[in-house]
Amino acid sequence: EKGGYDHFMLKEIFEQSSSIHDTIRGRVSTKNNEVFLGGINDVIPKLVNARRILIIGCGTSWHAGMVGEYLFEEFARIPVEVEYASEFRYRNPVIFKDDIVLAISQSGETADTLAAIKLAKEAGATVLGICNVVGSSIPRETHAGVYTHAGPEIGVASTKAFTAQVTVLTMMAMVVGYRKGTLPKEEYHKLIQEFGKLPAKIKKILEKDAEIKELSKQYVDSTNALYLGRGYLFPVALEGALKLKEISYIHAEGYPAAEMKHGPIALIDEQMPVFVAATKDKSYEKIVSNIQEVKARKGHVIAIVTEGDSVISKMADYVIEIPETQEALAPLLTVIPFQLISYYIAVLRGCNVDQPRNLAKSVTVE
Ligand code: F6R
């Protein structure tokens, strides 16, 4: 059932070149330059006119929500707040009748997310879901939604569900932005065309598996790790850190790269691996300086860079090259090397990657 892989997690990481295809199938048409989301088609006008969107989730789903925030702000110019479901539900939150609440959950059974949805419904908001498990509790509670169609995810650490969630959020933000007129037609079409190329680009990243396994050996005995990214890649840094923590039990933190100088830089010494998502985008020059800051303090830099990058490769201890893509789609590619690094470090440490200690696949208690 593991399809020849040692663990479900590895199988699920490798499935991403096809699962992403399943997520966009019948929704993104590269032929007609169209995105169509049947599950929320009726509420698109509401989204177009929304004064704000509240995104709720836990763990990895919350990280996907953060990417969603950047996407909705950029494409649709809608203010977004991303909330941990567990905080939101206990805080007497301000919810307006015209709010759109977007709940994200792989399992569709997370107790805190479910409770937050009920609260939002009571307050009269329109509640939408992005879930993976068909027919689970959350899709039954929401007014409308989009399934991620990533297929069953067995490994406790979420991998292909994350890329599927981000894919759905991207499609949603594109549709809303295009209808609203805030995402220009040429941009919309460019994104659609790029979507069609993602499965092949993911495959190319997965071919680096042996290289990533090899470099992971270096960090098997690390006790701490830092993950840095900016813009769309900041949530990816958070997700990278979470993956490492949960399966290898190495303490890791994700930070927006520029925040480093406000505290975490004090932690950096020759023992500290610093994983940086540093592909070419509008904050590239800034992330290059952040890498310099880490190197000046003797930190170990492992950078995910765009193919052909000749600047960072001279500064970093290791670079993992990945294909170029559009800035807004970069999380879908940059997260994959991070997933593989965590996987290999955990395996080399002898950890049970599919069932890490103290964790459950769906958290049905508050
Ligand atoms: C991370 C992980 C958890 C879940 C979280 C939410 O790898 O598995 O952090 O992401 O418990 O679960 P869902 O998405 O099922 O609501």
Side-chain angles (χ1 to χ4, degrees), residues 215-251:
L215 84 83
S216 300
K217 288 183 184 160
Q218 295 269 323
Y219 305 104
V220 170
D221 297 318
S222 298
T223 47
N224 290 286
L226 213 51
Y227 284 76
L228 304 176
R230 304 179 75 113
Y232 282 106
L233 301 181
F234 162 47
V236 172
L238 296 178
E239 176 61 7
L242 178 63
K243 288 295 84 108
L244 190 69
K245 282 186 259 219
E246 61 184 343
I247 60 168
S248 76
Y249 318 138
I250 295 173
H251 171 242

Side-chain angles (χ1 to χ4, degrees), residues 58-61 105-107 110 156-158 242-243 246 363:
C58 304
T60 290
S61 297
S105 175
Q106 188 286 130
S107 62
T110 301
V156 164
S158 191
L242 178 63
K243 288 295 84 108
E246 61 184 343
V363 183

